[in-house]
Amino acid sequence: MCFSATASFGVGAALLGVGVATFAKVQEPKQYPFAAIPIVFGLQQLIEGVVWLSLSNPDFLAYQRVATYAYLTFAQAIWPIFVPFAFMCLEPDPKRKKIMKWLTGIGLVIGAMLFSYFLSQTVTVEAEAHHIHYGLQKPEGFAFWHGLPYFIVIMIPPFISSIPHMKWLAWSTLASFIVAKIFYSAYLLSVWCFFAAIVSAMVFLLLHFTISRQTKTAFSQILPASPVFPPKESER
């Protein structure tokens, strides 16, 4: 995340609160991974708060390496696996669910590769212009062979989801990436996670709408048709 330790800890704590409220709405086990997205983002932002403290306060310097690698684990290894998996669990349409299974498998490979990659080198971390810059030596072709597949497995699931209103999350996440790429390209790894973390608060509303729709559909299937208000032609 960017700006300051205060902002990191503030957003992290807020997302944990949103995550707890989202978990309280869960009615089926398949909804838990999706409901956990704000909590995972909250933990990630709290970790980056520690990175901020290690850069500004010598008392926290001993925690810098652990916090840095923990943050990168979330940002580069966990998300490409967790995002398609969460949408796969939630998806009711068999064909789209199958696509998300493939995306989860690709995400697993990408996450494992990125995890082994940043563990194999010494990562530098610096505070520059109120943002955190994570120094990773990227070989030629890195953006195509690692960055592009990472972007695909993160962005495709909400766009192809059959869940109503999920496009809100898809377009918001894409917009956050475009803004971060254009204005904060040097700090993309940190800034996009910050924007995406804020966007993840939408998970609460999306799960609420999903459950409300499922409940309405279940009642319409159980209750007999009213003689006064017969079912619409599309419902027959």
Side-chain angles (χ1 to χ4, degrees):
M1 182 171 140
C2 55
F3 308 130
S4 68
T6 301
S8 294
F9 286 124
V11 171
L15 287 175
L16 289 181
V18 172
V20 171
T22 306
F23 255 62
K25 284 189 167 294
V26 170
Q27 293 184 347
E28 301 177 79
K30 67 180 184 179
Q31 296 168 349
Y32 277 114
F34 185 71
I37 289 177
I39 291 180
V40 179
F41 262 123
L43 292 173
Q44 180 181 349
Q45 300 314 305
L46 291 177
I47 290 171
E48 193 165 39
V50 177
V51 176
W52 267 112
L53 289 178
S54 73
L55 292 170
S56 59
N57 190 332
D59 294 336
F60 290 88
L61 186 59
Y63 304 105
Q64 184 178 106
R65 181 178 174 82
V66 173
T68 297
Y69 280 91
Y71 177 84
L72 291 175
T73 298
F74 275 94
Q76 297 203 317
I78 292 179
W79 285 121
I81 304 169
F82 192 80
V83 169
F85 175 75
F87 280 90
M88 179 193 72
C89 292
L90 199 63
E91 180 57 47
D93 182 76
K95 291 183 179 179
R96 302 186 194 206
K97 194 179 190 74
K98 186 175 182 179
I99 295 174
M100 292 178 188
K101 286 182 179 179
W102 278 100
L103 291 174
T104 302
I106 295 172
L108 182 62
V109 174
I110 295 300
M113 291 175 64
L114 290 174
F115 182 70
S116 61
Y117 173 72
F118 72 73
L119 281 184
S120 66
Q121 61 175 289
T122 300
V123 180
T124 60
V125 57
E126 299 176 280
E128 301 176 355
H130 303 290
H131 307 293
I132 291 182
H133 178 262
Y134 295 93
L136 291 165
Q137 295 180 354
K138 299 177 181 179
E140 186 177 353
F142 181 91
F144 181 81
W145 295 109
H146 296 83
L148 183 59
Y150 177 99
F151 180 81
I152 289 173
V153 299
I154 292 288
M155 290 305 309
I156 292 299
F159 273 107
I160 67 173
S161 173
S162 65
I163 305 295
H165 309 300
M166 199 62 77
K167 298 297 186 294
W168 295 356
L169 182 63
W171 285 111
S172 297
T173 305
L174 180 59
S176 71
F177 171 79
I178 293 173
V179 171
K181 182 66 175 177
I182 293 175
F183 296 102
Y184 307 99
S185 182
Y187 315 102
L188 185 63
L189 187 58
S190 178
V191 176
W192 187 28
C193 283
F194 165 58
F195 290 150
I198 295 176
V199 169
S200 74
M202 295 176 62
V203 167
F204 174 82
L205 292 176
L206 292 170
L207 189 60
H208 170 75
F209 292 146
T210 300
I211 292 173
S212 297
R213 183 171 180 269
Q214 290 176 345
T215 302
K216 182 178 179 181
T217 301
F219 271 105
S220 67
Q221 293 173 348
I222 295 173
L223 296 177
S226 169
V228 179
F229 301 102
K232 296 179 182 178
E233 187 68 28
S234 60
E235 297 176 350
R236 292 176 181 174

